[in-house]
Amino acid sequence: MEHAHPFYLEWWNLYRPPDAHEHNMFGVTSYDVGHHHRYAGMTEPADDVPGHVHAYAFETSFDDGHTHRIRGVTGPAIPLPDGRHYHVFGGVTTVAGRVPHSHRYGGATDVR
């Protein structure tokens, strides 16, 4: 008996610049309509040039019977004294739920 699993390919997986890197992102949304959601994902690859940004897109955890999509672009790279950097991000999720609503999210990527 054969079975299949859906396979989703984000556009940035199709081409990776030669000197590209990604950042991990994770956090918890705002508490709205009696619940919050967790989220975790990875940014699209980008070359490590001053001021670069990363796009991101992923789905929140399933809570209160639904999920939300998170999409956006990080802020520019914030350099650290040791040569590494991070990015800040934030926004509002898509609308979903029995009572239609969205959540705020934000934070900083990991350091690369």
Side-chain angles (χ1 to χ4, degrees), residues 31-81:
Y31 187 83
D32 297 287
V33 193
H35 68 282
H36 63 262
H37 297 267
R38 289 171 303 286
Y39 59 89
M42 186 169 283
T43 66
E44 74 167 22
D47 282 329
D48 193 4
V49 296
H52 72 275
V53 297
H54 296 265
Y56 57 88
F58 38 91
E59 197 167 341
T60 67
S61 59
F62 183 82
D63 293 288
D64 198 42
H66 65 279
T67 64
H68 297 268
R69 289 284 290 166
I70 289 177
R71 271 180 201 259
V73 176
T74 67
I78 299 170
L80 295 169

Side-chain angles (χ1 to χ4, degrees), residues 1 4 22 40 43-44 51 54 59 92 98 103:
M1 179 172 175
E22 301 94 3
T43 66
E44 74 167 22
H54 296 265
E59 197 167 341
V92 178
R98 291 184 314 273
H103 297 268

Side-chain angles (χ1 to χ4, degrees), residues 3-58:
H3 70 278
H5 297 274
F7 179 70
Y8 301 100
L9 186 66
E10 298 288 352
W11 70 267
W12 54 75
N13 289 331
L14 299 176
Y15 170 73
R16 181 181 172 86
D19 296 322
H21 67 282
E22 301 94 3
H23 293 269
N24 293 308
M25 303 169 61
F26 59 91
V28 178
T29 67
S30 59
Y31 187 83
D32 297 287
V33 193
H35 68 282
H36 63 262
H37 297 267
R38 289 171 303 286
Y39 59 89
M42 186 169 283
T43 66
E44 74 167 22
D47 282 329
D48 193 4
V49 296
H52 72 275
V53 297
H54 296 265
Y56 57 88
F58 38 91

